[in-house]
Amino acid sequence: MNIKNYIAEFIGTFVLVLFGCGTAVAANTLLANNGMTVPLGFSTLLIALAFGLSIVAMAYSIGNISGCHINPAVSTGMLVAGRMTVTDFIGYIISQFLGALIGAVVLYAIVGSKTTLGENGYGDSSAMGSTMMQAIFVEIILTFVFVLVILAVTSKPEHGTIAGIVIGLTLALIHMLGIPFTGTSVNPARSFGPAVLVGGNALKQLPVFIIAPLIGGILAAVVYIFLFNDGKTDAPAAEEAA
């Protein structure tokens, strides 16, 4: 057990939620309230870059401490792939959820309203009007791709210098596709923080954005083990660079 790892995961998830979800609020709600029409393509690109750049910033700051998972789906994939112990997995998950919650609280304090905090959703809460099954499918696929990329790019030490950029760009790419459908979660903690504060429909729909990404993370780990490790898990290690 290394308390520094847990603090790093708390900080990383806090930053991801504050800047990623904060950009979503600024791009959509605040500008719209000032009478400005925001094209969906523009806001999608802006939000995608905010989430991607948040990952890049955290990867090169806390990556050497905790591996910069800052996502329960990533930690789940790491656990299944044999890259971390159960004890560290539990510590990471708790830290990530707490970091996301505090990030949402700070965002609420800045915005001054909890009408929307960049929460995820489907149906009337989706720009595409996605059904629940569409949301589940989209989140599983997007998380699968994201976690598989992370597992693959962090599997070799020589990739360490570029891993953060690759992972950040991948997250941005995933958001470009997913935002119109669900707002893009691929991260149960990121969905948890805003939903708890916003409540209502966001909280009611939250299970989809917790369960689907975890399924995607597990599937990614299984495929990684088959493709890269010939069916064998890695040796447990909580500090994979990411």
Side-chain angles (χ1 to χ4, degrees), residues 132-194:
M132 182 176 71
M133 290 308 300
Q134 286 175 322
I136 291 172
F137 185 69
V138 166
E139 288 296 330
I140 289 175
I141 294 299
L142 294 183
T143 310
F144 168 82
V145 172
F146 183 49
V147 176
L148 183 61
V149 168
I150 292 174
L151 289 170
V153 79
T154 60
S155 63
K156 295 182 179 180
E158 57 266 32
H159 294 162
T161 56
I162 64 168
I165 295 175
V166 172
I167 294 169
L169 289 176
T170 300
L171 186 61
L173 176 65
I174 284 170
H175 273 76
M176 291 177 195
L177 173 60
I179 285 174
F181 292 94
T182 65
T184 308
S185 170
V186 304
N187 184 334
R190 168 261 184 273
S191 297
F192 172 80

Side-chain angles (χ1 to χ4, degrees), residues 119-136 179-183 201-202 205 208-209:
E119 66 279 4
N120 299 112
Y122 53 86
D124 293 338
S125 301
S126 162
M128 296 284 288
S130 303
T131 65
M132 182 176 71
M133 290 308 300
Q134 286 175 322
I136 291 172
I179 285 174
F181 292 94
T182 65
N201 206 41
Q205 295 181 355
V208 166
F209 301 105

